[in-house]
Amino acid sequence: MMQRITISIDDDLMEEIDNIIKQKNYQNRSEAIRDLTRTGIQNSSLVVEGNPPCVAALVYVYDHESRELSKRLTRTFHEQHDLTLASLHVHLDHGSCMEVSMLKGDAERVGQLAEQVITERGVRYGKLVMVPDNSGGHVHHHDDEHSHHD
């Protein structure tokens, strides 16, 4: 069963949705909005579902010339160092850098760290992808020395 709802969307957002409809060949606006809503729900459901442990990738692009931004970002990650597994830093051009930070911890804290980074002045793009961590906190090692072959 489907429910009919009425929503208000500003012209700029509707233009973006219409562009997505064209690019992905959706049959109509309703189908596109349902799909985009599902994606949004998946992206935010980890924080809603009782703050479970997660692993995540935080991808952001920033202007490395932005005043004190590198220092502020470094300080932010140092203050919450227990959440960071690894980071990759790439120079895109004269003024832009991209970083990918692999994070692990409670979904709420990971989300807060990501939000803190993404909202810094000089960060031009940011996206967090969270995945449930079902490892129970155990680190899994592959150890060929102890493998048994029949």
Side-chain angles (χ1 to χ4, degrees):
M1 188 170 130
M2 295 242 186
Q3 294 190 27
R4 183 174 299 269
I5 62 168
T6 303
I7 60 172
S8 300
I9 297 177
D10 66 49
D11 291 343
D12 292 341
L13 183 56
M14 197 66 245
E15 186 177 326
E16 287 183 54
I17 292 170
D18 285 338
N19 287 336
I20 290 169
I21 290 169
K22 286 178 197 156
Q23 288 172 357
K24 296 196 174 195
N25 295 317
Y26 283 108
Q27 298 299 311
N28 54 52
R29 285 178 168 172
S30 290
E31 184 182 338
I33 290 172
R34 279 192 299 271
D35 200 33
L36 292 168
T37 302
R38 273 187 218 100
T39 300
I41 288 170
Q42 288 170 350
N43 288 343
S44 58
S45 66
L46 274 171
V47 176
V48 174
E49 294 174 354
N51 194 27
C54 73
V55 288
L58 172 59
V59 179
Y60 57 101
V61 175
Y62 67 95
D63 177 2
H64 85 93
E65 297 292 325
S66 189
R67 186 182 166 105
E68 300 289 312
L69 178 58
S70 291
K71 285 182 184 176
R72 288 195 313 271
L73 290 171
T74 299
R75 189 177 316 114
T76 297
F77 280 103
H78 274 278
E79 287 170 354
Q80 300 182 67
H81 62 87
D82 59 312
L83 297 178
T84 304
L85 297 173
S87 291
L88 170 68
H89 181 96
V90 179
H91 302 279
L92 299 176
D93 56 34
H94 290 295
S96 298
C97 294
M98 174 185 269
E99 289 198 7
V100 180
S101 294
M102 303 307 300
L103 307 171
K104 182 174 183 169
D106 293 341
E108 186 176 334
R109 284 191 62 215
V110 168
Q112 288 169 350
L113 173 60
E115 193 67 25
Q116 195 175 348
V117 169
I118 290 168
T119 58
E120 280 281 359
R121 187 169 46 241
V123 174
R124 293 197 298 263
Y125 172 86
K127 182 169 179 73
L128 177 68
V129 177
M130 283 198 279
V131 178
D133 177 14
N134 299 319
S135 69
H138 302 295
V139 178
H140 183 78
H141 295 286
H142 291 275
D143 190 350
D144 289 337
E145 289 180 18
H146 297 291
S147 297
H148 298 286
H149 300 284
D150 293 332

